[in-house]
Amino acid sequence: MNTTRTPSQDGTREYRRILLDGAIVHVVREGETLIAGDGRRVRAATARHLPPVQPSKVIAVHLNHRSRVEEFQTSLPSAPTYFHKPVSALNAHGGAVVRPEGCQYLNYEGEIALVIGRVCRNVAPDDAGHCVAGYTVANDYGLHDFRDTDAGSMLRVKGSDTLCPLGPGLVTGWDFRGKYLRTYVNGELAQDGCTDEMTWDMHYLVADIARTITLVPGDVLLTGTPAHSRPVRPGDVVEVEAEGLGRLTNRIVAGPTPVRGDCGAQPTASEEVLSTAFGGDWEYRGIRPPRRP
């Protein structure tokens, strides 16, 4: 990217990808204005956003925030574990997140996404920061209706189409330490966490993955969600805000067709599904009150 801008007071810069006059354009943010390299300007509020990066892979850590671990009444392993979200799940700021017909347990998970800036392989945790291009906001949606069959791979749970919004922009020069991370549903605070409650910091996660998997520029690493992930339904507006990175906004919509019933595992509503969707409240097994559709 040839475009430059004056750094903000805290030394950060924000870059976005948008559709402008029918073309994909890289822009920089100056206040509420997005500026293209040729000088064209567009209001950020009216721009049609794209994911700020084009990764070859999206890797996510299972559990990292201590509040989430406590909510699930569990303990962490000695090292992080991960799953993969296909790039076909990518979505953007302002994009619609689809809950397929026949599914009920689509959960938000507000997160911070780390973006790789250079080829990264076999680096020490203390050196991993040199491989980072910047950070953006993510929402690691989970379609828990498929958890009974995909709990190992999380492929459909976390990898179904539209379930990986990123944005609004890629922020460089941002320090991840001591930053708040909040999720709002229809304007109401739903998650309230802090990066300091991560068991493994972001650079540690990069070094861990890069021991055996080569990370290349644009690759995305999702770094975990705090407590209180819950289901949302069509019509809900979900916003994830990370201090210094901005606010990622998406609306939930109903899928136009049901999940096919003539092949594969079907959506379920077992106690495993419900306990995950509603926060590990296993004490309610067998006596759980009805949930809204």
Side-chain angles (χ1 to χ4, degrees), residues 120-142:
C120 183
R121 180 72 163 85
N122 195 30
V123 297
D126 288 345
D127 297 327
H130 300 299
C131 299
V132 177
Y135 303 83
T136 188
V137 186
N139 200 329
D140 180 21
Y141 282 95

Side-chain angles (χ1 to χ4, degrees), residues 62-74 107-111 139 181-185 188-195 197-198 223-231 239-240 275-281:
H62 276 110
L63 287 175
N64 195 10
H65 283 252
R66 288 188 293 273
S67 64
R68 187 69 164 155
V69 175
E70 293 166 1
E71 180 182 34
F72 275 117
Q73 305 170 38
T74 188
N107 279 46
Y108 56 80
E109 291 188 13
E111 304 202 10
N139 200 329
L181 174 62
R182 296 169 182 158
T183 302
Y184 300 84
V185 178
E188 298 293 326
L189 182 64
Q191 289 182 291
D192 191 1
C194 176
T195 55
E197 68 165 295
M198 291 182 176
T223 59
T225 195
H228 305 301
S229 162
R230 296 293 185 270
E239 300 170 283
V240 182
S275 294
T276 304
F278 292 102
D281 49 354

Side-chain angles (χ1 to χ4, degrees), residues 5-281:
R5 60 173 268 211
T6 303
S8 63
Q9 267 193 329
D10 61 3
T12 62
R13 295 182 174 90
E14 182 176 347
Y15 303 93
R16 301 190 184 187
R17 292 172 66 242
I18 64 171
L19 280 179
L20 183 59
D21 297 330
I24 298 174
V25 178
H26 294 267
V27 296
V28 293
R29 185 176 72 84
E30 292 282 2
E32 299 305 314
T33 302
L34 305 179
I35 306 173
D38 59 6
R40 284 178 294 172
R41 293 170 174 259
V42 61
R43 290 180 58 229
T46 60
R48 184 175 177 185
H49 284 78
L50 300 170
V53 295
Q54 297 175 284
S56 71
K57 49 189 169 290
V58 179
I59 298 171
V61 65
H62 276 110
L63 287 175
N64 195 10
H65 283 252
R66 288 188 293 273
S67 64
R68 187 69 164 155
V69 175
E70 293 166 1
E71 180 182 34
F72 275 117
Q73 305 170 38
T74 188
S75 58
L76 285 172
S78 58
T81 60
Y82 304 90
F83 58 92
H84 178 250
K85 289 174 83 86
V87 294
S88 54
L90 284 173
N91 203 339
H93 173 61
V97 173
V98 177
R99 190 186 78 173
E101 185 177 336
C103 296
Q104 301 181 68
Y105 304 110
L106 175 65
N107 279 46
Y108 56 80
E109 291 188 13
E111 304 202 10
I112 292 167
L114 175 153
V115 179
I116 297 297
R118 58 186 290 186
V119 174
C120 183
R121 180 72 163 85
N122 195 30
V123 297
D126 288 345
D127 297 327
H130 300 299
C131 299
V132 177
Y135 303 83
T136 188
V137 186
N139 200 329
D140 180 21
Y141 282 95
L143 192 63
H144 293 297
D145 304 73
F146 286 105
R147 193 170 188 88
D148 283 333
T149 51
D150 284 14
S153 70
M154 303 285 279
L155 182 60
R156 284 169 291 196
V157 176
K158 292 301 187 79
S160 293
D161 292 352
T162 75
L163 299 193
C164 189
L166 301 175
L170 174 70
V171 178
T172 63
W174 184 76
D175 185 349
F176 62 78
R177 299 166 184 86
K179 300 299 194 297
Y180 68 73
L181 174 62
R182 296 169 182 158
T183 302
Y184 300 84
V185 178
N186 301 325
E188 298 293 326
L189 182 64
Q191 289 182 291
D192 191 1
C194 176
T195 55
D196 286 348
E197 68 165 295
M198 291 182 176
T199 301
W200 299 288
D201 75 33
M202 301 186 195
H203 293 172
Y204 182 96
L205 298 176
V206 171
D208 185 18
I209 289 293
R211 292 183 304 156
T212 59
I213 298 174
T214 299
L215 299 171
V216 299
D219 282 351
V220 169
L221 180 56
L222 304 184
T223 59
T225 195
H228 305 301
S229 162
R230 296 293 185 270
V232 284
R233 60 182 179 179
D236 288 342
V237 174
V238 184
E239 300 170 283
V240 182
E241 183 178 51
E243 183 178 355
L245 298 182
R247 185 176 285 213
L248 170 68
T249 302
N250 300 96
R251 181 180 294 274
I252 311 302
V253 301
T257 57
V259 175
R260 292 189 66 93
D262 57 359
C263 58
Q266 297 303 302
T268 58
S270 69
E271 285 296 337
E272 174 66 20
V273 168
L274 297 178
S275 294
T276 304
F278 292 102
D281 49 354

